């Protein structure tokens, strides 16, 4: 697809760190996208975890043009700092932060009003282009039949200080079937993580379940003029 800057990004290599529910669900959608743009149904996506000898996290980081972090937020620092080779491998990469600052019981971790999980990850990876995305979407919603089959499209918010990285990840999200909404500052992750905490409270605290999503709709320009 063509983004708002009239540019195509042919992203062929994607790495996902984390083979849990979010990582696996995203991998399914992204494989469909990669297969489509390759023209032959093939993809070049690797999903890795330390439990998989053939797809160790370091190998997956080296592999991806875009690397998605789909591990618990509390594990990111230990992962990045576990080896200088891992820190080096992230240099120059577009790093998609799909995490949320949560405790083991899904309760919010309070980081303060002046930062967010994504901003803390950007401090860990100063030579990477960190993008906050997909954190407001439950894994149960990241299914082709839901993403492409609902009348109201699932919104994927995409935020970063790096304009080209925002466009790149927004295009990936749109090609997966999401309605991508871009924000050109990473500090907006503070609001996106709060939205995720609200989503979790409604799903778990209030018993609403994880089959719910956010949809952001703008009125047409003529509707605003006539109101």
């Amino acid at each position: 697809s063509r983004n708002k800057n009239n540019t195509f990004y042919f992203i062929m290599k994607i790495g996902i760190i984390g083979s849990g529910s979010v990582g696996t669900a995203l991998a399914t959608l992204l494989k469909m996208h990669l297969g489509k743009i390759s023209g032959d149904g093939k993809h070049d996506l690797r999903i890795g975890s330390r439990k998989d000898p053939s797809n160790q996290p370091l190998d997956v980081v080296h592999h991806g043009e875009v690397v998605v972090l789909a591990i618990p937020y509390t594990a990111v620092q230990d992962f990045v700092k576990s080896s200088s080779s891992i820190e080096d491998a992230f240099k120059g990469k577009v790093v998609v932060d799909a995490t949320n600052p949560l405790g083991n019981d899904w309760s919010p971790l309070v980081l303060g009003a002046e930062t967010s999980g994504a901003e803390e990850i950007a401090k860990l990876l100063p030579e990477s282009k960190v993008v906050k995305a997909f954190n407001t979407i439950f894994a149960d919603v990241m299914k082709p039949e839901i993403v492409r089959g609902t009348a109201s499209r699932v919104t994927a918010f995409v935020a970063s200080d790096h304009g080209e990285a925002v466009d790149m990840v927004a295009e990936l999200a749109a090609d997966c079937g999401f309605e991508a909404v871009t924000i050109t500052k990473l500090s907006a992750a503070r609001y996106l993580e709060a939205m995720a905490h609200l989503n979790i409270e409604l799903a778990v605290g209030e018993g609403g379940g994880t089959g719910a999503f956010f949809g952001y709709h703008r009125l047409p320009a003529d509707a605003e003029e006539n109101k």
Side-chain angles (χ1 to χ4, degrees), residues 11-136:
I11 303 164
M12 295 302 296
K13 292 186 177 182
I14 299 174
I16 298 179
I17 306 299
S19 56
S21 57
V22 170
T24 301
L26 264 178
T28 298
L29 293 174
L30 289 168
K31 284 176 183 177
M32 293 174 63
H33 157 71
L34 290 171
K36 181 174 64 177
I37 63 172
S38 70
D40 57 10
K42 295 181 180 179
H43 62 82
D44 200 353
L45 180 146
R46 293 181 68 177
I47 180 169
S49 74
R50 287 173 175 162
K51 297 178 182 178
D52 183 352
S54 62
N55 284 293
Q56 285 292 291
L58 177 58
D59 299 328
V60 172
V61 174
H62 277 300
H63 171 80
E65 299 169 66
V66 174
V67 180
V68 181
L69 295 175
I71 56 178
Y73 169 76
T74 51
V76 172
Q77 180 169 338
D78 288 343
F79 167 59
V80 171
K81 294 296 185 181
S82 63
S83 163
S84 59
S85 298
I86 290 178
E87 290 186 76
D88 289 341
F90 272 111
K91 290 180 180 178
K93 304 277 186 178
V94 173
V95 178
V96 179
D97 170 27
T99 74
N100 285 302
L102 300 170
N104 293 332
D105 61 353
W106 282 35
S107 62
L109 294 179
V110 179
L111 301 179
E114 301 300 321
T115 191
S116 64
E119 290 167 279
E120 295 303 306
I121 289 172
K123 292 174 187 176
L124 288 173
L125 301 171
E127 296 184 61
S128 300
K129 298 175 182 178
V130 174
V131 181
K132 191 74 179 185
F134 305 115
N135 72 299
T136 61

Side-chain angles (χ1 to χ4, degrees), residues 6 12 17 26 67 83 90 95 98 118 145 155 157-158 174-175 195 209 214 218 225:
N6 212 35
M12 295 302 296
I17 306 299
L26 264 178
V67 180
S83 163
F90 272 111
V95 178
E145 64 271 21
T155 297
F157 297 96
V158 182
D175 286 342
M195 288 175 65
F214 290 108
R218 291 187 178 97
E225 291 171 1

Side-chain angles (χ1 to χ4, degrees), residues 3 9 23 30 34-35 72 76 93 116 128-129 135 142 144 146 149 174 179 187 190-191 193 195-196 199 208 219 224:
N3 61 43
Y9 293 103
L30 289 168
L34 290 171
V76 172
K93 304 277 186 178
S116 64
S128 300
K129 298 175 182 178
N135 72 299
M142 293 180 183
I146 296 175
E179 183 72 35
S187 61
R190 302 170 195 179
Y191 314 130
E193 289 169 9
M195 288 175 65
N199 212 13
L219 288 173
E224 289 198 345

